[in-house]
Structures are given as C-alpha cells and as structure tokens.
Amino acid sequence: MREEGPAGDAVVADVPPLRLDPLLDEAATRIVVCCGSGGVGKTTTAAALGLRAAERGRRVVVLTIDPARRLAQSMGLAELDNVPRRVPGIDGAAGGELFAMMLDMKRTFDETVEAHAEPARARAILENPFYQSLSAGFAGTQEYMAMEKLGQLVARDEWDLIVVDTPPSRSALDFLDAPQRLGSFLDGRFIRVLMGPAKVGGRAGRKVMDLGLAGLSRFTGTLDKVVGAGLIRDVQAFVAALDTTFGGFRSRADATYRLLQAPGTAFLVVAAPERDALREAAYFVERLAADRMPLAGLVLNRVHASDAAELSAERALAAAESLETAESPETGSPSGRPAAKNLVPDGMADDPTGQTETGPTNTSGSERVQPPSRRSPEARSPQRSSPTVAPPADPVDAVAAGLLRVHAEHMRQLARESRTRARFTALHPKVPVVEVAALPADVHDLAGLRAIGELLG
C-alpha cells in the first residue's frame, strides 16, 4: 500500500494491506486479541469485529476487560457482567450468533478457587481477609484473571471465535506478564517460609511454625505496626488453604500463554494516527515478536482524509487572504477597511480648522455654509456628525475565506498524520495495516459497529 501526502509526495512506505474478513472467516482462527494504548478505539474495534464475524456465520463471544460501559451501550445491552449475554438485533441469516461479557475480576478469582478446591478449603480461602484484598486490588490481578477467563472460555468450547478487548496499559502487554508476576509473588521467599509449616502438618508443623514465627518476630512486629496486627496469620491461613490450589493456577496460566502463541490466535495492535499512540503501537509490535505471539497487523483508527487534497494548506491560506483583502465594489477600498474620504463628513475636507458645518442644500444642489457667528450653540459644540462607514465585506467572500482557512488546518492535520504513519511504517514495513476513516460521530449502536466492521473488513 502506497499513499500520497497532501502535497502529492509519497510519505508512507509500501506496506501490505491487512485483510480482516479472511481472518474472521477462517475456521482455524479461534482467538483475536485487540491490544493497544488507551483511547485508540480498542473496545469499538473488538465489538465491530465480533459483530462482523457473527453476521458472517460464526458463533462469537466478545470479552472486554475495560470497565467502561461503551460496549454494552453500543450492543443494546443494559449491562455486561461475568456471564456471556446474547446480543439482540444480529442478522443471523448466515447462522452466526454474538455474545458479550465484561470481566469481573473478583468473581472470576472466586470461581477459580471454587472450581479447584474442596468446598471447605474454598470457603476458608474466600473468607480469608488477605485473599479478599488480593483478589480485589493486587497489582496484576485483573490481567491474570483475564487470562484465567480466556482459558475458561476456550475450555468450554462453545464459541467459534473469542474476541478479547484488553485493558489499556502503559506497560504494553501486562496481561501477558500477569501470570508470571502473580506467580512470583505467591512463589516468593516470604510466602514459601509461611507455607512450609502448613506443608509439614500436625504437631511437627506447629513446631516448625513456632520456630518460623520466632525467627520472623522482629520483622512481623514491624509489619504489624504498619498494616495492622493479624496480617501474618491471615497470610499463613491463606497460603495453607491455597497450597494445593495454586499449582492449578500456574499450570492453567501457562497453558493459556501457549494458546496465545498458537497459530489459531491473532493479535491486532490498535492505534490512532498520533505520535504517542503509534510509539506505543511500535512497542507492542516489538514485544509481540519477542514473545513469539502471532501478529495479524495494525488497525489505524480515526484516519482523516480529504476530497480536495490537491488544494494544499498554503494555497488555501493564500486564497483566503486574497478574499479578505479584495477590493470592495462599493468603496473601491479593501474589504472591511473603509476609505479615508468616507470617514470625513462632506464639507469638512476643505476646512483645516474643522469649523465648517454642512447646511441645507439649495436648489442648485450646492451646500450653504453658515458663518461662525451665526452657528447655533449645538454647532459650536466639539461634537461632530458620525462618519459614514464603508459597507462590510461581501458575505459570500467572508464565508469562502473562513472555509478555506478550515481546509488549510485540515490539510495540516493530514500532513501530521502522514508523517506519523511514515515513521511507523519505516520501522515496521512488513506489518500489514488497515485504516479506518474518522467518522463524524461516536459509535453508539449496532449500525455504527457495522459501519466500522465494513471499513475493517
């Protein structure tokens, strides 16, 4: 794909076009992951892809991790939660269906514990204060649970295609790192020390725990002052209950990670034609390559275009200035700048003292000037008649000049976008790209999602 800049110069390197319809139609494609920085349209892209795939005959579920309600609103649903909900209004002529859901981080963690622990052990974990804090706000828990939920959806084997809308993250692919980070915490030295007595069990276990606590007394005393007494007991109880469960956490996370590397998965990096967004996109592309994740291409959202690109910003500004300084037909002066003779009342131009006054016109059409001694008190006042001002500029020319200035600014924006895209494609010339034109309004319903889907397809 080779594009021309606003001035006609080639500014974007040749890059392969991204064809998404064949990707969505391919039965081997089971997972599409939309990733990118915040505010670039990931949620809308994921929803549009899910809708298009469903109306082309596939059974699709869209999993969003973004807590914003945009996806539910655009799909005509009152709300989204941790359970897939069928989206109404889908054209099912091809036999497809569309479901949508929003990750509930804590509920997913609870379900995982309940599914992989005996009832008594699960209850002990769920009621533990340390677990409640961990499941609600520990760094990386949301991303870890996204991986867990994705693994659950794949294991259920109910959908032909799963579209994942990842959370915006400055650290790029946090949800790929989350299992390792959470695992490192739960496998850390402090946790292992606390877990040791629980593994021994019985009287020996209590002895080891007593020894361990004696050795840790100085540290835990300080910790208790900071976070409150009882934290260590909560952590020990949590670790003792989680011991047999966490192994399943790690193995499932590893299995999901391998699934993301498999040929049936496609990553789409979503960006806007802005410097910061494309810088993040470049980092995503490099990180995916380093982790051997299958990259399908780049979706460039909100790209501006013009049907009058041959009129450059410079020419438009020159034309606007020409209209704004054009001769006014009524006055012969530049528009909006009245001539000097129209600023002085008739009859005063020949009197340097400014003492003359326009009197009544006689029958011959000449003006009669009153002598100073016969002027009225009002005439002797320094006040003078209001000057005659030239008519305003031609309103048609004024509107045309304004439109030309708007066009000039639009062409400057196109030039900035072209330069930004050129920098990205110069770094990654083999990454396929599909551009989605900027729409005049936000997408808020299925019709808008269909329009985006057509542009993507």
Side-chain angles (χ1 to χ4, degrees):
M1 179 177 65
R2 189 172 185 83
E3 297 186 5
E4 298 297 320
D9 299 324
V11 294
V12 179
D14 289 323
V15 295
L18 176 59
R19 309 294 186 191
L20 287 177
D21 277 350
L23 179 71
L24 298 177
D25 294 342
E26 177 59 51
T29 304
R30 301 295 305 277
I31 301 172
V32 173
V33 182
C34 297
C35 54
S37 57
V40 296
K42 287 194 314 300
T43 301
T44 300
T45 298
L49 289 172
L51 175 60
R52 188 164 183 83
E55 295 190 333
R56 293 174 71 87
R58 305 197 72 184
R59 196 167 192 264
V60 185
V61 60
V62 177
L63 167 64
T64 182
I65 308 172
D66 188 350
R69 303 294 178 180
R70 293 187 301 273
L71 181 60
Q73 294 169 354
S74 63
M75 291 185 169
L77 297 172
E79 62 178 356
L80 290 176
D81 53 23
N82 218 39
V83 178
R85 297 185 180 276
R86 186 169 182 172
V87 178
I90 301 300
D91 182 358
E97 295 178 283
L98 179 61
F99 295 78
M101 62 184 299
M102 184 177 70
L103 177 73
D104 184 328
M105 177 180 65
K106 189 176 187 316
R107 184 60 211 150
T108 299
F109 212 148
D110 293 349
E111 290 172 353
T112 302
V113 171
E114 291 167 350
H116 297 92
E118 298 174 356
R121 188 180 293 268
R123 185 168 58 255
I125 294 174
L126 297 178
E127 294 175 355
N128 185 277
F130 180 76
Y131 166 79
Q132 293 173 1
S133 176
L134 174 71
S135 61
F138 185 77
T141 303
Q142 183 187 47
E143 290 82 3
Y144 180 91
M145 286 302 119
M147 295 279 282
E148 185 74 29
K149 178 57 70 175
L150 176 58
Q152 292 176 8
L153 293 173
V154 172
R156 288 167 63 176
D157 199 26
E158 294 183 18
W159 291 275
D160 301 327
L161 179 65
I162 302 169
V163 182
V164 182
D165 166 37
T166 61
S169 173
R170 183 62 181 85
S171 301
L173 302 174
D174 271 357
F175 81 101
L176 294 179
D177 298 328
Q180 182 179 2
R181 288 204 310 274
L182 191 61
S184 297
F185 167 73
L186 293 173
D187 274 347
R189 179 178 299 177
F190 178 60
I191 296 295
R192 288 201 304 270
V193 169
L194 295 176
M195 189 180 290
K199 288 184 175 180
V200 175
R203 182 177 299 175
R206 287 194 295 274
K207 264 189 180 180
V208 175
M209 183 174 287
D210 290 340
L211 292 173
L213 287 178
L216 291 172
S217 60
R218 184 173 302 176
F219 170 71
T220 56
T222 303
L223 191 61
D224 279 348
K225 290 179 181 178
V226 176
V227 298
L231 171 68
I232 301 302
R233 290 191 298 274
D234 291 338
V235 173
Q236 288 170 334
F238 166 74
V239 170
L242 192 65
D243 181 25
T244 59
T245 307
F246 180 65
F249 280 31
R250 172 62 65 88
S251 62
R252 288 190 305 278
D254 291 343
T256 304
Y257 192 90
R258 290 191 298 271
L259 182 65
L260 292 175
Q261 293 175 318
T265 300
F267 280 82
L268 291 174
V269 177
V270 184
E274 301 164 1
R275 183 178 59 183
D276 291 343
L278 279 172
R279 185 187 296 118
E280 289 289 305
Y283 179 75
F284 273 65
V285 169
E286 293 161 7
R287 173 65 197 278
L288 289 169
D291 287 1
R292 300 192 303 278
M293 298 290 175
L295 173 65
L298 173 73
V299 175
L300 199 58
N301 273 332
R302 298 196 289 269
V303 176
H304 294 86
S306 174
D307 292 332
E310 66 278 1
L311 179 58
S312 67
E314 292 74 16
R315 291 175 56 197
L317 284 175
E321 292 174 358
S322 176
L323 286 173
E324 290 167 348
T325 59
E327 293 267 332
S328 171
E330 291 86 355
T331 65
S333 66
S335 299
R337 299 179 183 177
K341 67 178 182 178
N342 291 322
L343 295 175
V344 182
D346 292 341
M348 290 183 62
D350 297 328
D351 183 3
T353 64
Q355 300 291 321
T356 58
E357 179 184 54
T358 303
T361 304
N362 60 19
T363 55
S364 64
S366 62
E367 295 179 346
R368 178 170 56 85
V369 179
Q370 296 179 347
S373 60
R374 297 178 58 185
R375 284 182 297 155
S376 64
E378 292 80 2
R380 289 193 297 270
S381 168
Q383 296 179 356
R384 298 176 182 175
S385 302
S386 300
T388 303
V389 179
D394 186 341
V396 175
D397 287 350
V399 171
L403 291 175
L404 284 167
R405 290 190 176 278
V406 171
H407 175 79
E409 181 55 37
H410 185 61
M411 295 306 295
R412 286 172 174 168
Q413 181 179 21
L414 265 61
R416 289 193 298 269
E417 292 181 1
S418 294
R419 290 192 297 270
T420 305
R421 294 198 303 272
R423 284 193 288 268
F424 176 87
T425 53
L427 291 172
H428 303 286
K430 295 183 179 180
V431 174
V433 178
V434 60
E435 296 183 357
V436 179
L439 300 180
D442 290 336
V443 174
H444 60 275
D445 55 15
L446 290 179
L449 291 177
R450 285 192 186 96
I452 295 292
E454 290 175 3
L455 295 173
L456 288 169

